[in-house]
Amino acid sequence: MTAFFALIKRDLRLAFREGGALGTALGFFVVVVALMPLGLGPDLKLLSRIASGVLWIALLLSALLSLGRMFETDYEDGSLDVLATGAVPLELVAAAKSIAHWLSTGIPLAVLAPILGILLNLDLAAFPMLVAAMLIGTPAVSFLGAVGAALTLKARRGGLLLALIVLPLYIPTLIFGISALSAALGPDAAGGSASSLMILTAISLVAAVLGPVAAAAALRIQLH
Amino acid sequence: MQSWTQRLANPTRFMQVSGTLLPWVAAAAAALIAYGLYLVFFVAPPDYQQGETVKIMYIHVPSAWLALMTYGLIAISSFGLLVFRHPLADVSAKAAAPIGAAFTLLALITGSLWGKPMWGTYWVWDARLTSVLILFFLYLGLMALRSSLDDEGTAAKLTAVLALVGTAILPIIKFSVEWWNTLHQPSTNFTSTVDPSMRWPLLIMAVGFTLLFIAMHLAAMRNEVLRRRVKALRLQEAASRDGLPAHASAAE
């Protein structure tokens, strides 16, 4: 277990000291959201209606951007081979890396989202739900993303392929993330959002179980 | 006693069996589809509401059914490859993916053409349409992943992993899309009872399409086996020309 936490700590340290990865994801998030009003016109009513969808889609794309590096750098410098032959099972390595990705990308993006929500004129009443839904939903993004990152480790044009593979898997998260928000703005705020949040939790838990197993299987195939 | 899957594991035996089966299956598919089309266009009555456009159904429903069945076949083949290391499992999965994608696309296109006169639009974000579109993306992902890797063995296993992840996630996607759809618009009632005068032609078309799929799948598998043999022979030839022992490069 100490090895597991050491892995998470190592990945977090790498993510923050390298700087580039986190900054790029956040910057991309801001730029994509900022482009929306330019493309759609500055109609505040329209923007507040589509804000939750824009924020969620921008979040998924930003998280996708940093997924490619999850195993790639470790593969290139050989540390992935060391991890594969080490005492920690590869499933746990994949889980640790997914958790580190969530901590270093999912949480910052979810925390940044309300600020961008102001830019999009999102109803203030929806802000707590926005952050809650994103915090609960982003683990699924990281765990399913780990599968895509592991599958495309050696692929040519890996980045584009990763998007093609992973984005369809994000659909449930996207749908329930948005339905949590629209329920929060509707008449039955507490009940509707609660059921969406519970389903989001279920999706994240399923992803946390399936993702590392599939990612480890994919890594094993490629490391031999 | 070997099971039939074990007996077919020998590619030479598979080539023999499939070679004898293929013409029969193909002929049966052609005959059934021809008979089915005859029934569709000359016997089956036009729908009292939809008129002649209901004839699209006889292509649309079998395509949609095969789109799903093919994914099931790919999933089973992938399982067979990863768990039992069956030598033909990957050939089957690889051959099935483009055929499945083609049937999915056919279901989407015919559905869209049917939607225009019936719903007044080519596309709605209906639960069923959306989940079939996602199924199409999954097929594309399988093919793209396979084509982006140079080593065929690695590509086969990785694609199998993705196919199995897809089977786990497809029900969730379907469920979520349906749930999301009920919030927004009523679902279209596809499952209403069908009159026997339309059910029989539909059934015949469905069986015909299934046989067509089997024939195409067998043919594609045979091509794949042959392609691998040619590749192995080429490698051998190249190796012997360079004066290397043949197995050294073949094993690489």
Side-chain angles (χ1 to χ4, degrees):
Chain A
M1 228 41 213
T2 38
F4 181 70
F5 288 118
L7 261 176
I8 298 180
K9 215 187 272 175
R10 165 183 175 272
D11 268 32
L12 283 179
R13 198 174 288 154
L14 278 173
F16 287 112
R17 296 225 173 129
E18 270 183 343
L22 177 61
T24 319
L26 290 178
F28 183 80
F29 192 36
V30 175
V31 170
V32 168
V33 173
L35 279 181
M36 284 297 156
L38 300 178
L40 297 164
D43 178 6
L44 285 180
K45 269 202 192 109
L46 174 71
L47 285 179
S48 75
R49 201 153 51 83
I50 62 171
S52 55
V54 169
L55 288 173
W56 261 105
I57 291 172
L59 177 129
L60 292 183
L61 293 178
S62 319
L64 192 67
L65 204 63
S66 50
L67 275 178
R69 299 171 56 81
M70 197 188 269
F71 299 109
E72 199 180 54
T73 44
D74 281 352
Y75 174 67
E76 278 164 1
D77 66 13
S79 36
L80 198 59
D81 290 303
V82 178
L83 289 174
T85 50
V88 185
L90 213 45
E91 281 80 6
L92 279 183
V93 172
K97 285 188 161 292
S98 311
I99 292 172
H101 179 264
W102 178 60
L103 291 172
S104 65
T105 314
I107 292 183
L109 287 174
V111 172
L112 186 64
I115 301 169
L116 297 173
I118 297 174
L119 291 181
L120 292 176
N121 195 31
L122 183 67
D123 193 340
L124 280 177
F127 277 32
M129 187 50 63
L130 175 73
V131 179
M134 283 185 167
L135 284 179
I136 293 175
T138 39
V141 173
S142 296
F143 281 108
L144 291 176
V147 181
L151 283 172
T152 55
L153 184 61
K154 280 183 173 178
R156 284 173 269 126
R157 310 178 298 276
L160 290 175
L161 187 62
L162 180 63
L164 181 65
I165 288 175
V166 160
L167 283 178
L169 305 184
Y170 286 167
I171 288 167
T173 311
L174 177 66
I175 287 175
F176 289 110
I178 288 170
S179 74
L181 271 179
S182 49
L185 295 173
D188 177 27
S193 303
S195 67
S196 293
L197 285 187
M198 275 192 256
I199 296 176
L200 268 183
T201 317
I203 294 170
S204 284
L205 289 177
V206 168
V209 174
L210 280 182
V213 176
L219 288 177
R220 268 198 204 102
I221 290 164
Q222 290 170 98
L223 289 175
H224 288 304
Chain B
M1 187 63 198
Q2 288 175 313
S3 71
W4 64 273
T5 46
Q6 283 170 330
R7 257 180 273 133
L8 280 181
N10 180 348
T12 314
R13 186 172 295 143
F14 168 77
M15 290 304 270
Q16 281 169 358
V17 173
S18 63
T20 35
L21 273 180
L22 186 56
W24 294 100
V25 178
L32 270 177
I33 290 177
Y35 180 55
L37 283 177
Y38 163 76
L39 286 183
V40 166
F41 281 104
F42 298 104
V43 181
D47 187 78
Y48 81 104
Q49 264 186 330
Q50 310 194 0
E52 297 292 340
T53 55
V54 76
K55 308 248 186 275
I56 299 173
M57 175 183 78
Y58 300 104
I59 306 286
H60 176 74
V61 173
S63 306
W65 139 245
L66 278 173
L68 289 176
M69 195 201 75
T70 309
Y71 199 88
L73 181 72
I74 291 178
I76 295 169
S77 302
S78 303
F79 189 77
L81 171 71
L82 289 178
V83 177
F84 301 112
R85 314 267 155 131
H86 193 283
L88 279 175
D90 174 49
V91 176
S92 159
K94 182 178 183 183
I99 306 176
F103 276 118
T104 315
L105 189 64
L106 201 61
L108 284 171
I109 290 175
T110 51
S112 153
L113 289 175
W114 197 9
K116 183 65 183 169
M118 286 305 106
W119 301 336
T121 171
Y122 287 114
W123 187 265
V124 284
W125 290 96
D126 169 82
R128 198 168 290 236
L129 275 73
T130 313
S131 35
V132 172
L133 184 68
I134 291 157
L135 179 67
F136 183 61
F137 290 153
L138 271 176
Y139 277 122
L140 290 188
L142 287 178
M143 290 192 288
L145 179 63
R146 188 185 287 277
S147 69
S148 73
L149 288 153
D150 292 321
D151 180 56
E152 281 189 31
T154 315
K157 287 184 200 148
L158 286 182
T159 317
V161 171
L162 180 60
L164 290 181
V165 171
T167 28
I169 213 92
L170 257 183
I172 306 179
I173 293 176
K174 188 170 159 36
F175 162 73
S176 69
V177 171
E178 235 156 60
W179 202 81
W180 162 64
N181 171 61
T182 52
L183 275 181
H184 289 261
Q185 64 164 72
S187 76
T188 326
N189 191 6
F190 279 99
T191 47
S192 57
T193 48
V194 182
D195 189 78
S197 64
M198 293 181 183
R199 199 189 299 144
W200 275 110
L202 183 60
L203 203 65
I204 288 169
M205 286 299 278
V207 175
F209 265 58
T210 311
L211 288 174
L212 174 69
F213 166 78
I214 295 173
M216 288 197 294
H217 189 224
L218 280 180
M221 280 177 76
R222 288 172 62 81
N223 284 344
E224 180 62 23
V225 170
L226 289 175
R227 194 188 63 79
R228 285 183 187 189
R229 281 189 186 162
V230 169
K231 191 182 172 192
L233 286 176
R234 281 227 181 102
L235 282 174
Q236 231 168 17
E237 194 189 279
S240 63
R241 199 168 44 220
D242 298 341
L244 293 166
H247 59 268
S249 70
E252 190 243 323

